Amino acid sequence: MLCIGHRGAMGHEPENTLLSIRKALALGVDAIEIDVYNVEDNLVVIHDRDLSRTTNGTGYIEERSFAYLRSLDAGKGEQIPTLLEVIETVNRQAIVNLELKGSNTTKLVVELIQRYLKQGWVEEDFVVSSFNHYELHQVKAICPRIKTGMLIYGLPWEYLATAQKLQVDMVIFNLDFVTSELINSVHQQNLLVWVYTVDRPDDIERLKAWGVDAIFTNYPERIILN
Ligand code: G3P
Ligand code: CA
């Protein structure tokens, strides 16, 4: 079972910062998940639409300038990182799982990944995921080589048929809704099952026994040392 550091290692360091990414790498994660927005055609890494929870700024991220975002403290003096900075920091030491959060991210994200693929990085270095399944469709339409993960919350009606139509590589369940029967039905379609966000040791054990392929955690050491 792979260990995915959630927003880096947000149980230890400010989420979605380079400090958090480095902590996750130091803990030996297999993958790092981060959240992506487009601000003035710059891809930046932050979770909320509103800046106030994770930075000393205010307002909606997509209504602010890139220069303003870069002037903010995202925790412990860290800047809001660009996606490029995150990828360069990871530098193939782990899979980068980019979650498309904001609008108009798809084209720029695909172009960036394609640039890395041309430089010798491989498909397995990236996974693009989103709750916005139209965006996932768009990713595969532009570049079928890119791996995609269909994020779901709850249990959407006929989600497996959607997963197949979208040609995703994995279905990503919320912990509260996943069961061993669901895991088996996804595996039968030759798709992987990832589960978010799992911090409790008893949940980690149960999901491992059920054959889940990867879990997102805020505390990677709880999976890696398991
Ligand atoms: O990708 C898994 C998880 O990060 C999705 O939920 O709200 O933490 O972005 P959220
Ligand atoms: Ca996320």
Side-chain angles (χ1 to χ4, degrees):
M1 188 171 70
L2 299 185
C3 174
I4 307 168
H6 188 229
R7 308 180 202 171
M10 71 170 280
H12 298 284
E13 298 293 354
E15 65 183 63
N16 282 322
T17 62
L18 295 183
L19 204 57
S20 185
I21 308 293
R22 288 195 195 99
K23 180 68 180 178
L25 291 172
L27 290 169
V29 295
D30 302 291
I32 287 178
E33 186 263 1
I34 42 92
D35 304 287
V36 179
Y37 283 83
N38 176 356
V39 175
E40 295 180 330
D41 280 345
N42 297 283
L43 295 169
V44 292
V45 172
I46 185 167
H47 182 272
D48 298 2
R49 284 172 63 219
D50 187 294
L51 290 161
S52 56
R53 184 181 62 85
T54 61
T55 75
N56 58 350
T58 56
Y60 284 130
I61 181 161
E62 290 172 332
E63 294 173 3
R64 294 298 197 172
S65 68
F66 178 65
Y68 174 73
L69 296 182
R70 294 288 272 178
S71 75
L72 300 177
D73 184 341
K76 295 191 178 175
E78 290 285 299
Q79 269 184 319
I80 296 172
T82 63
L83 179 58
L84 195 69
E85 287 172 338
V86 168
I87 294 173
E88 289 293 323
T89 299
V90 175
N91 194 23
R92 303 192 71 191
Q93 297 170 81
I95 298 163
V96 180
N97 171 203
L98 313 88
E99 183 188 339
L100 307 178
K101 268 292 193 228
S103 47
N104 300 316
T105 52
T106 307
K107 189 169 163 285
L108 288 178
V109 163
V110 170
E111 282 170 5
L112 186 60
I113 293 175
Q114 283 177 319
R115 221 183 308 150
Y116 278 96
L117 293 178
K118 274 196 193 125
Q119 285 170 25
W121 291 41
V122 295
E123 280 93 336
E124 288 71 25
D125 290 324
F126 301 100
V127 172
V128 176
S129 61
S130 189
F131 287 100
N132 184 332
H133 301 161
Y134 294 86
E135 302 280 356
L136 296 179
H137 180 264
Q138 194 62 18
V139 171
K140 286 281 184 191
I142 305 173
C143 182
R145 285 172 72 188
I146 295 177
K147 295 191 179 300
T148 57
M150 186 173 99
L151 274 160
I152 57 176
Y153 182 79
L155 204 54
W157 185 253
E158 295 189 342
Y159 72 96
L160 260 182
T162 304
Q164 282 177 327
K165 266 190 209 159
L166 293 175
Q167 297 183 302
V168 297
D169 298 277
M170 64 272 307
V171 178
I172 310 178
F173 288 97
N174 179 279
L175 172 64
D176 293 338
F177 295 90
V178 74
T179 64
S180 61
E181 290 76 21
L182 288 174
I183 293 164
N184 291 338
S185 61
V186 175
H187 279 162
Q188 272 168 17
Q189 305 298 319
N190 290 319
L191 298 173
L192 298 173
V193 176
W194 289 10
V195 179
Y196 67 95
T197 300
V198 190
D199 289 336
R200 280 176 48 157
D202 54 344
D203 287 326
I204 293 168
E205 276 309 313
R206 188 165 39 88
L207 294 175
K208 201 173 181 180
W210 285 352
V212 164
D213 301 288
I215 61 181
F216 298 76
T217 184
N218 298 316
Y219 299 93
E221 71 279 9
R222 293 184 188 170
I223 294 161
I224 291 161
L225 300 177
N226 204 268

